[in-house]
Amino acid sequence: MKRLIYFALTVFMFMGSVSAFASGTEKRNPELTERQKVRLQEISQRVEEIKSLDRSKLSREERKEIKNELLEMKKESKALSGGVYLSATAIIIILLVLILVF
C-alpha cells in the first residue's frame, strides 16, 4: 500500500514539472485555409452584431438562443484554430486507468 502511495505522489510531482516545461514552449498556430479564414471572419462579424444588440428588449427564449449560438460559435472557432488540449486532470485519470489495467 505504501508503495502505491509513493508511486502516486511521484506521478503528481512529475505532472507539475511537465506543465512547467510545456508552458515554456512556443505555441504554433496552424495555417488556415481560405474557407476557414472566411468562416472565422463570419463568426467574428456575427459576434459583433450580437454585442451591439439591445438585449433588454429580447424575450427570455431569444436571449437563450443567442447564448447557445455564441457557445456554438466559440466551439467552432476553437476547433478551426486547431489543437487538442488535455487538462492535467484528464492526464492523471488516463495514467491511473493505465496503471490499473496493467
Side-chain angles (χ1 to χ4, degrees):
M1 187 67 181
K2 282 185 180 180
R3 192 176 191 189
L4 181 63
I5 293 171
Y6 288 134
F7 182 72
L9 289 174
T10 305
V11 168
F12 286 123
M13 284 193 276
F14 281 125
M15 292 304 295
S17 64
V18 168
S19 64
F21 288 119
S23 65
T25 60
E26 183 178 322
K27 187 175 181 180
R28 293 183 226 138
N29 291 333
E31 287 296 320
L32 299 176
T33 63
E34 288 300 318
R35 177 179 277 172
Q36 290 172 334
K37 288 179 184 177
V38 169
R39 181 63 185 145
L40 283 175
Q41 185 66 28
E42 290 172 357
I43 290 173
S44 62
Q45 286 176 353
R46 179 65 181 143
V47 169
E48 291 301 320
E49 288 175 10
I50 292 173
K51 282 183 180 180
S52 66
L53 283 176
D54 184 16
R55 294 185 204 129
S56 62
K57 296 179 181 177
L58 298 176
S59 69
R60 186 174 195 177
E61 291 80 26
E62 290 172 332
R63 285 188 299 230
K64 196 172 190 178
E65 288 176 12
I66 289 175
K67 182 180 176 183
N68 289 336
E69 182 182 359
L70 284 172
L71 288 174
E72 290 298 320
M73 287 189 295
K74 183 177 181 181
K75 288 178 186 177
E76 185 179 352
S77 67
K78 280 188 176 184
L80 288 175
S81 300
V84 175
Y85 301 101
L86 291 176
S87 67
T89 308
I91 293 172
I92 291 170
I93 291 172
I94 291 169
L95 287 175
L96 290 175
V97 168
L98 288 175
I99 291 170
L100 291 174
V101 169
F102 295 108

